[in-house]
Amino acid sequence: MQNPTLDIQIKTLPQQPGVYQYFDKEDKLIYVGKAKNIKKRVSSYFTKTHDNGKTRVLVKKIAKIKHIVVETETDALLLENNLIKKNKPRYNVLLKDDKSYPWICIKKERFPRVFPTRRIFKDGSEYYGPYTSMKTVWTLLDLIKGLYHLRTCNFNLSEEKIEAGKYKVCLEYHLGNCEGPCEGFQDEEEYNANIKAIREIIKGNFKDSLSQFKTQMKDLAANMHFEEAQRIKEKIEVLENYQSKSTVVNPKISNVDVFSIMSDEGYGYVNFLQLSYGSIIRSHTLEIKKKLDETDKELLELAITEIRQRFNSNSREIYVPFKVDLGETIRVTIPKLGDKKKILDLSLRNAKYYRMERFKQVKIVDPDRHANRIMAQMKADLRLPEEPRHIECFDNSNIQGTNPVAACVVFKDGKPSKKDYRHFNIKTVVGPDDFASMEEVVYRRYKRLVEEEQSLPQLIIIDGGKGQLNSALKSLDALGLRNKIAIIGIAKRLEELFYPDDPIPLYLDKKSETLKVIQHLRNEAHRFGIEHHRNRRSKGALTTELESISGIGEQTVVALMKRFKSLKRIKEAKQEDLEAVVGLSRAQKIKAFYKKE
């Protein structure tokens, strides 16, 4: 499919948090924005009247829209910052300066310092972040300072200099904020144990620290130091409410490319994320049409080569979901957990959203291709000998055995064909027997189709488990249609698909399009059957009550219902009002009946 029009691109955007990018007709990036809901935000550009002339010019120049889906608004804010700094789009002004988001640094040195910074250096230090608010950074550092006494001076505390007595403790030591490692009052092992605990607090694993805070608070309260205990309590509350979203960044990792793939019967979708110092600076998804039955591995290897050439990437390491062969010059990493796995999952998520959007766009622009793809997918998923272009689904409806009915709904090319829906009143079964009812309606349906020489479906779906499926099979056997029409049963509880002569059910992926079509069929059959059942019960109730009156027939009941709308109003109506509708004689009989009742 060619690039969709702007209108179709907007209609198929995801309603997720992320970053959107506007390109002009020359494929140049002109604007980057963030949104809690990408579709809603982008749509607003094209539906509002903009007072700002610059915004009106921007909207006129938009020819293509790209986006990157992320987990949270915070992630979107950070990603927007990275993309603006990298690409400097013409219409972005807010984030073009060199201001960076704050990080927390644990310095690589003896007796490490912990401090905030906006700059990252390749010196082996650990950097945590970035954070969207400096307040968050100071809150964390304040908590750390309250629990662990660390040095703030920038002296070189080598073992030789400390032993030589080069330094003297400062005011921080006398205030109780530092243990005095500069004069050897605190050993390195104890200090490093504190640093280890601080790492866990920054990452969000602060169980042990919370326990220590609570113990400290109780001790202070027991000793009547209530003001200090209250300050500790406030810090505990901040810690408990704080949810860390930080990522450890090792500045030694320079350039990394991340690739993931989603595929179906006809196409593969490969997403590419380019990282620099832990920040995403580029995202692109490539759609590949399958020629033969290529594997995901073959498609991914082809796409990686193409994308790296297109974007002139020289990264020596890539993250992928499975092993690929790219020669000896590129290091291939398959992340299993941690931050590397999270970034790979983000790439896969973007590939999935891109695939969904293309499906929606195809459905609008080329409905035949959409139907063909769905049919091919269903044929493969359900192991059918041919595509199920014509599907029929059966469902029984009865409540406490009254007015048993059944419904048959028909889908053609994956869509409801409502003119072909059929209701069945159960004729040969007494009482609530779902198995016998299913046998009856399937026999009646296909006996008629055969007699009238109408086309038979390629697939029959029975709403029920093995029992209902076996009942339907009896009817197909009686008509000589066994093995001529594929038939399956779907059990409601676990969405199990049952096949004839196979005791083990099939389970489809809960998000698969095949299962969604089957569920749509089942829900339509249920709705259609319940609707007919309610109509029969309502008519039955009217017949039982009004037509039991001598001299009152069906036409009289219809006339009364048209005028009064309900039995309650008929019962409470004055005699003269009834006379106006059905005459004096019938009105007297109705009033006498309800008076006696």
Side-chain angles (χ1 to χ4, degrees):
M1 188 179 86
Q2 298 297 318
N3 283 330
T5 63
L6 205 57
D7 182 50
I8 293 173
Q9 289 180 57
I10 295 165
K11 284 181 182 177
T12 56
L13 287 169
Q15 299 189 43
Q16 301 291 326
V19 170
Y20 55 91
Q21 302 169 79
Y22 294 152
F23 293 81
D24 62 16
K25 61 184 179 181
E26 293 164 2
D27 211 28
K28 184 178 179 181
L29 181 62
I30 56 175
Y31 186 78
V32 174
K34 67 181 182 303
K36 183 178 179 180
N37 182 319
I38 295 174
K39 184 175 183 178
K40 193 173 180 181
R41 182 73 185 93
V42 172
S43 299
S44 70
Y45 277 90
F46 299 89
T47 54
K48 290 180 180 177
T49 302
H50 300 284
D51 297 329
N52 188 307
K54 191 175 179 183
T55 306
R56 290 198 298 272
V57 173
L58 166 66
V59 172
K60 286 180 182 178
K61 289 189 175 184
I62 299 170
K64 187 170 71 174
I65 303 167
K66 283 188 177 182
H67 62 80
I68 306 172
V69 176
V70 294
E71 291 286 342
T72 64
E73 289 179 81
T74 301
D75 294 335
L77 179 63
L78 297 172
L79 180 54
E80 178 196 34
N81 177 41
N82 297 335
L83 292 173
I84 290 173
K85 286 181 178 176
K86 168 73 177 174
N87 300 292
K88 294 183 171 54
R90 180 178 178 183
Y91 289 92
N92 284 101
V93 292
L94 292 178
L95 298 174
K96 271 191 178 179
D97 58 19
D98 289 331
K99 180 182 175 183
S100 297
Y101 285 99
W103 302 71
I104 292 177
C105 174
I106 299 179
K107 194 71 173 172
K108 186 183 180 182
E109 60 190 356
R110 197 161 182 259
F111 297 102
R113 288 170 289 153
V114 180
F115 56 88
T117 182
R118 291 185 184 271
R119 301 180 67 185
I120 297 175
F121 297 97
K122 290 185 180 182
D123 58 0
S125 299
E126 297 170 63
Y127 292 89
Y128 295 80
Y131 296 91
T132 53
S133 167
M134 198 67 194
K135 184 180 178 182
T136 306
V137 174
W138 285 120
T139 301
L140 272 172
L141 292 176
D142 187 45
L143 285 167
I144 291 165
K145 185 179 177 182
L147 189 55
Y148 302 104
H149 299 156
L150 303 177
R151 72 171 179 127
T152 55
C153 62
N154 59 0
F155 297 142
N156 176 15
L157 299 186
S158 66
E159 196 171 351
E160 297 80 15
K161 290 186 177 182
I162 292 173
E163 288 178 357
K166 291 279 187 182
Y167 310 113
K168 296 292 180 184
V169 291
C170 62
L171 183 60
E172 287 293 303
Y173 172 78
H174 296 294
L175 291 172
N177 295 331
C178 176
E179 299 289 343
C182 59
E183 283 199 47
F185 297 153
Q186 184 180 26
D187 63 49
E188 189 175 2
E189 186 178 344
E190 181 191 344
Y191 194 98
N192 287 338
N194 291 346
I195 292 294
K196 184 178 179 182
I198 288 166
R199 281 194 192 96
E200 295 305 306
I201 289 178
I202 296 172
K203 289 181 185 178
N205 304 326
F206 35 77
K207 204 173 188 178
D208 293 339
S209 299
L210 267 175
S211 178
Q212 290 184 45
F213 266 131
K214 287 175 181 175
T215 302
Q216 190 179 348
M217 180 183 69
K218 287 175 183 176
D219 290 343
L220 288 167
N223 294 320
M224 304 296 180
H225 300 302
F226 296 117
E227 288 186 10
E228 293 177 44
Q230 175 61 27
R231 282 196 289 271
I232 297 295
K233 184 184 176 184
E234 289 171 3
K235 290 180 180 181
I236 289 172
E237 288 172 354
V238 172
L239 254 184
E240 287 177 333
N241 293 328
Y242 172 73
Q243 290 183 337
S244 173
K245 291 183 174 64
S246 63
T247 302
V248 181
V249 173
N250 185 341
K252 289 181 181 176
I253 299 175
S254 182
N255 297 317
V256 174
D257 293 343
V258 183
F259 295 92
S260 62
I261 183 168
M262 275 290 297
S263 67
D264 52 41
E265 292 296 302
Y267 289 82
Y269 305 87
V270 177
N271 178 260
F272 162 59
L273 296 179
Q274 188 174 13
L275 276 77
S276 178
Y277 299 107
S279 300
I280 297 170
I281 60 170
R282 179 178 282 120
S283 175
H284 178 74
T285 304
L286 183 67
E287 182 181 40
I288 308 170
K289 182 173 175 59
K290 293 183 179 179
K291 297 295 183 182
L292 301 171
D293 193 19
E294 292 91 350
T295 64
D296 282 0
K297 181 175 182 291
E298 291 170 332
L299 293 175
L300 188 57
E301 288 171 351
L302 175 69
I304 290 173
T305 305
E306 164 65 24
I307 290 171
R308 282 170 63 87
Q309 285 180 353
R310 182 182 300 185
F311 293 105
N312 196 26
S313 173
N314 297 314
S315 303
R316 294 186 178 181
E317 183 177 11
I318 65 167
Y319 299 163
V320 286
F322 47 77
K323 186 171 177 59
V324 291
D325 301 321
L326 298 169
E328 297 179 359
T329 58
I330 301 174
R331 181 182 172 190
V332 176
T333 301
I334 305 167
K336 298 298 181 186
L337 42 83
D339 296 319
K340 292 180 181 179
K341 182 67 167 65
K342 286 179 184 175
I343 200 70
L344 183 65
D345 290 342
L346 179 61
S347 174
L348 182 61
R349 193 173 179 207
N350 277 277
K352 287 179 179 178
Y353 273 106
Y354 185 88
R355 179 172 174 261
M356 286 166 54
E357 285 158 42
R358 295 300 273 180
F359 288 170
K360 291 175 185 175
Q361 291 164 4
V362 167
K363 195 172 182 178
I364 297 169
V365 176
D366 189 355
D368 289 339
R369 176 181 150 183
H370 174 74
N372 293 341
R373 183 183 57 75
I374 293 287
M375 291 298 102
Q377 193 72 45
M378 290 191 74
K379 178 186 174 184
D381 289 346
L382 299 176
R383 305 174 302 200
L384 301 175
E386 58 182 325
E387 292 181 352
R389 294 282 174 172
H390 177 176
I391 308 173
E392 298 192 352
C393 181
F394 292 86
D395 182 38
N396 291 327
S397 294
N398 69 72
I399 297 177
Q400 297 176 343
T402 64
N403 305 111
V405 299
C408 170
V409 299
V410 180
F411 274 35
K412 292 184 176 176
D413 290 332
K415 293 181 288 187
S417 178
K418 295 196 175 183
K419 65 183 177 63
D420 295 313
Y421 286 15
R422 294 293 182 268
H423 283 136
F424 295 89
N425 295 325
I426 305 302
K427 297 177 179 178
T428 62
V429 181
V430 178
D433 187 341
D434 276 351
F435 298 151
S437 298
M438 186 63 71
E439 187 177 344
E440 177 190 324
V441 296
V442 171
Y443 183 84
R444 285 166 56 190
R445 170 66 173 167
Y446 297 112
K447 183 173 185 291
R448 180 162 188 167
L449 290 185
V450 170
E451 287 175 350
E452 294 179 359
E453 297 183 351
Q454 295 185 41
S455 62
L456 297 171
Q458 285 87 34
L459 176 64
I460 298 170
I461 297 174
I462 303 299
D463 184 11
K466 292 291 285 185
Q468 281 95 334
L469 178 62
N470 289 332
S471 298
L473 281 167
K474 289 180 186 177
S475 296
L476 294 185
D477 285 335
L479 294 167
L481 296 176
R482 181 75 173 260
N483 299 325
K484 291 183 179 178
I485 308 174
I487 182 169
I488 59 174
I490 178 169
K492 288 185 178 70
R493 192 169 66 88
L494 296 173
E495 305 294 45
E496 301 165 312
L497 300 180
F498 290 97
Y499 286 75
D501 306 320
D502 189 347
I504 301 173
L506 173 69
Y507 295 93
L508 293 176
D509 187 311
K510 299 297 181 189
K511 295 181 181 179
S512 79
E513 290 179 288
T514 297
L515 183 60
K516 286 178 181 176
V517 172
I518 293 173
Q519 288 171 331
H520 190 183
L521 273 151
R522 192 260 311 280
N523 295 341
E524 268 292 276
H526 187 66
R527 178 198 64 77
F528 193 56
I530 287 290
E531 183 182 89
H532 181 49
H533 186 260
R534 284 174 181 159
N535 291 340
R536 285 202 70 201
R537 277 195 298 147
S538 299
K539 186 177 178 183
L542 285 172
T543 303
T544 303
E545 191 163 298
L546 288 174
E547 290 190 16
S548 64
I549 304 170
S550 176
I552 304 297
E554 186 179 341
Q555 289 184 336
T556 304
V557 172
V558 171
L560 286 166
M561 288 302 292
K562 278 185 179 178
R563 171 66 178 79
F564 296 102
K565 308 299 181 187
S566 71
L567 284 172
K568 184 181 178 183
R569 289 181 177 177
I570 294 171
K571 188 175 180 179
E572 294 172 351
K574 294 178 182 179
Q575 183 166 321
E576 52 265 33
D577 292 333
L578 293 171
E579 285 179 23
V581 179
V582 297
L584 176 63
S585 175
R586 292 191 183 92
Q588 288 175 339
K589 288 178 181 179
I590 291 168
K591 292 303 289 183
F593 174 79
Y594 281 119
K595 187 176 180 180
K596 184 180 178 182
E597 190 182 66

